[in-house]
Amino acid sequence: MSKKPREKSSQPIVEAQEDFWDLGDENLEPEVVETGENKENLADLSDFSEENQPESASDDSLREGKLKSESDSPAPDADSPSSEIKSVRKKQSTSISKKRDQPPTSLLEKISLLLVVACLLGILGWGISAFINEAPQGDIISFKEDYPAKGDFVTISTVKTGWRKPIRKGENADLGIVLEAELIPCAKITLNEGASTTLRVTFRNGDGELIGDTLNLSIEDGKFTRSGSSSIDVCATDGFESASEINAYTNGDIAPWAVIITEGATGNEDQPLVKARISADSNQP
């Protein structure tokens, strides 16, 4: 009769392994006698750890959310009212500090400034006075052109004045005209009525100076002897050396000239019969 081989059981090995791990755990952990009080304390500790664990996690999440919200929040706008107020305050503080840094003006500096101002005012006053003293102070020429101008022997109805170029050649050439004269003053005198007398005629510039020669015109029975009529053309023997001077005369840059007519060979020019202004007309009167 053959013998059946004995089957090896695996259960003891498994149990041995389990016992090995159980031995290890028991050796590592301290022995705790489970009494009634210990069981309650352990239960409380387990509950406390379980309750606090989610709370700590929630606190961490709240902190992270707060930091994130602060980092994501936009920076304050530069144009906001608070930033404008800060900039104004900064400017004010800067200006105040600058004013504080500036040293006060000393007495010597104030006196120096006053002296400079006084010197400037003195120079200005001197310039004005010098201009007034050096400026032309010619007498104002008063004219007498009331027509008809009645004298003791004759009556002048009109006197027309103007300028013309001297006639150098021909039958009607002007006598006694200086060579330098290019434009001479002239006048046309017309009588209304009269007897026999002499009219004295002179031409004067703006300063009252005699221009050319004095003319004596003889009158018989109310007519000029030289022309044989009641009217006559006369002119000065001197005048403008340049014809372009008439432009300055027209613009008033040259004081007006005059023709003075008195009655008698030695008439009084302080009481003339006529004192006519020489017109700026450059055509023959």
Side-chain angles (χ1 to χ4, degrees):
M1 184 174 178
S2 62
K3 294 181 180 180
K4 294 180 180 180
R6 294 175 67 181
E7 296 178 359
K8 294 181 180 180
S9 176
S10 61
Q11 183 174 2
I13 297 170
V14 174
E15 291 178 356
Q17 291 176 353
E18 292 177 356
D19 293 338
F20 174 77
W21 290 109
D22 292 337
L23 288 172
D25 294 337
E26 290 175 357
N27 293 328
L28 293 172
E29 294 179 358
E31 292 182 359
V32 178
V33 180
E34 293 184 0
T35 62
E37 293 179 358
N38 291 335
K39 289 180 179 179
E40 292 179 359
N41 293 330
L42 291 172
D44 293 337
L45 289 171
S46 63
D47 294 337
F48 176 76
S49 62
E50 290 175 357
E51 290 176 358
N52 290 338
Q53 185 174 3
E55 287 180 2
S56 62
S58 62
D59 291 341
D60 293 338
S61 63
L62 289 173
R63 291 192 189 94
E64 292 177 357
K66 186 176 181 181
L67 292 173
K68 185 176 181 181
S69 64
E70 290 178 355
S71 62
D72 294 339
S73 62
D77 190 2
D79 297 333
S80 63
S82 61
S83 62
E84 291 180 357
I85 293 171
K86 289 180 180 178
S87 63
V88 170
R89 288 178 179 175
K90 187 176 180 181
K91 290 179 181 178
Q92 290 178 351
S93 62
T94 305
S95 62
I96 291 170
S97 64
K98 287 182 178 179
K99 289 181 180 179
R100 289 177 180 175
D101 294 339
Q102 292 178 354
T105 305
S106 64
L107 180 61
L108 181 60
E109 291 176 346
K110 292 180 180 179
I111 294 173
S112 301
L113 290 174
L114 290 175
L115 290 175
V116 170
V117 173
C119 291
L120 292 175
L121 291 176
I123 293 171
L124 180 62
W126 175 80
I128 293 173
S129 63
F131 173 77
I132 293 173
N133 293 330
E134 296 297 330
Q137 302 291 331
D139 296 333
I140 298 175
I141 299 175
S142 59
F143 298 99
K144 185 178 180 181
E145 300 181 76
D146 298 328
Y147 302 108
K150 190 173 183 180
D152 294 334
F153 300 96
V154 294
T155 301
I156 300 174
S157 59
T158 60
V159 176
K160 294 180 180 181
T161 61
W163 299 79
R164 66 175 175 83
K165 292 182 178 181
I167 302 172
R168 302 289 184 180
K169 298 178 181 180
E171 295 180 357
N172 298 323
D174 297 319
L175 302 176
I177 306 297
V178 297
L179 297 176
E180 293 80 6
E182 292 188 3
L183 207 61
I184 56 176
C186 52
K188 185 176 183 178
I189 304 170
T190 301
L191 300 176
N192 187 11
E193 59 182 12
S196 298
T197 188
T198 301
L199 294 181
R200 187 170 182 265
V201 179
T202 59
F203 290 89
R204 302 277 178 173
N205 61 13
D207 296 329
E209 298 173 346
L210 179 64
I211 302 298
D213 301 329
T214 300
L215 304 177
N216 291 319
L217 304 176
S218 176
I219 299 173
E220 292 182 1
D221 298 330
K223 294 182 179 179
F224 291 102
T225 303
R226 194 172 69 182
S227 65
S229 65
S230 60
S231 62
I232 192 172
D233 293 330
V234 293
C235 61
T237 57
D238 200 354
F240 290 149
E241 294 182 0
S242 174
S244 61
E245 292 184 70
I246 191 62
N247 297 323
Y249 187 83
T250 303
N251 295 330
D253 297 331
I254 298 175
W257 291 20
V259 56
I260 300 174
I261 303 172
T262 58
E263 194 175 32
T266 58
N268 185 9
E269 291 191 356
D270 294 332
Q271 295 179 352
L273 191 62
V274 172
K275 187 176 183 180
R277 175 174 180 160
I278 303 298
S279 173
D281 187 7
S282 59
N283 295 322
Q284 184 176 354

